[in-house]
Amino acid sequence: PDLEPYEAWNFDGSIEYYFSPQGAVQLGVFYKTIDNFIVDRVFEAGDAPYNGVYNGVNFDEALIPLNGDEATVQGFEFAYQQALTGLPAPFDGLLVGFNYTYTDTEGDVGDRKIPLPAASESTWNAMLGYEKGPLSIRLTSAYRDSYLDELGGDPEEDRYVEDHMQIDLSMSYQVQDNIKLYAQFANLNDEPYVAYQPGPGANRLLQYEEYSWTGKFGVQMTF
């Protein structure tokens, strides 16, 4: 309840070029300043300013959200998408797409400089699809870099989430104007969730979870 809300100034610029009726590229840049950003920090019983007591409750260890001072976010983004309708049949239904974002962040928390929580440096998405007649298919891959998750008492106690790349597949078939069959598959490559504390010599594993893949099948009807 004592947290201050985020306050930010945002500056963005972008340019788009449509090189064909079915294709476009886009480039953007951005710069942001953020006051009062929020980060979760782990406190031990002897850590100031709480010294083991928070809101009248004694603790040995507690995860408490704090306001940082000021953070900056800057970077660029690129996107490309095209329907390859100029190819000979049946390949004229192919679709390709790619986007990439680079983000450089820095925030002040007391006397420490940290990356902004939950902000990955690099993220990208790639798509290969097919769209022709009643058939629609999308195979996508999504990637993000590792990011700061929780703040510890010192840099070696900070909690990070490892980089992650996930492959998904979706398909649909229009049987009639008002009936469509569909199937969706998530995390086909069984990418795990991994959290760790950084070295000095090697990372310390904090959490490792595997979820395998998920499938969904259905019929969509409109009236």
Side-chain angles (χ1 to χ4, degrees), residues 83-85 87-95 129-132:
L84 304 179
T85 54
L87 295 177
F91 304 106
D92 53 346
L94 285 173
L95 309 168
Y130 188 84
E131 190 95 32
K132 189 173 183 180

Side-chain angles (χ1 to χ4, degrees), residues 45-179:
D47 294 342
Y50 302 110
N51 297 313
V53 181
Y54 182 71
N55 282 347
V57 178
N58 295 322
F59 65 84
D60 295 320
E61 183 180 274
L63 181 66
I64 301 174
L66 299 175
N67 278 122
D69 299 321
E70 183 179 82
T72 58
V73 180
Q74 56 189 334
F76 67 89
E77 53 192 2
F78 168 82
Y80 157 76
Q81 187 163 334
Q82 186 176 10
L84 304 179
T85 54
L87 295 177
F91 304 106
D92 53 346
L94 285 173
L95 309 168
V96 292
F98 178 79
N99 64 71
Y100 172 81
T101 302
Y102 172 80
T103 308
D104 179 40
T105 69
E106 184 177 82
D108 296 320
V109 179
D111 58 355
R112 287 189 57 186
K113 290 189 178 295
I114 64 168
L116 201 63
S120 297
E121 186 174 74
S122 290
T123 59
W124 57 259
N125 297 273
M127 181 273 293
L128 177 63
Y130 188 84
E131 190 95 32
K132 189 173 183 180
L135 181 62
S136 176
I137 302 173
R138 298 285 190 281
L139 180 67
T140 60
S141 177
Y143 172 84
R144 57 147 181 77
D145 265 345
S146 61
Y147 61 84
L148 175 65
D149 188 36
E150 296 174 1
L151 203 62
D154 57 62
E156 292 180 7
E157 295 179 349
D158 292 347
R159 173 188 168 101
Y160 282 80
V161 175
E162 199 172 76
D163 59 322
H164 184 95
M165 187 186 76
Q166 180 171 314
I167 298 174
D168 302 327
L169 175 66
S170 63
M171 299 180 289
S172 67
Y173 188 85
Q174 195 78 37
V175 180
Q176 296 179 4
D177 290 343
N178 63 332
I179 301 176

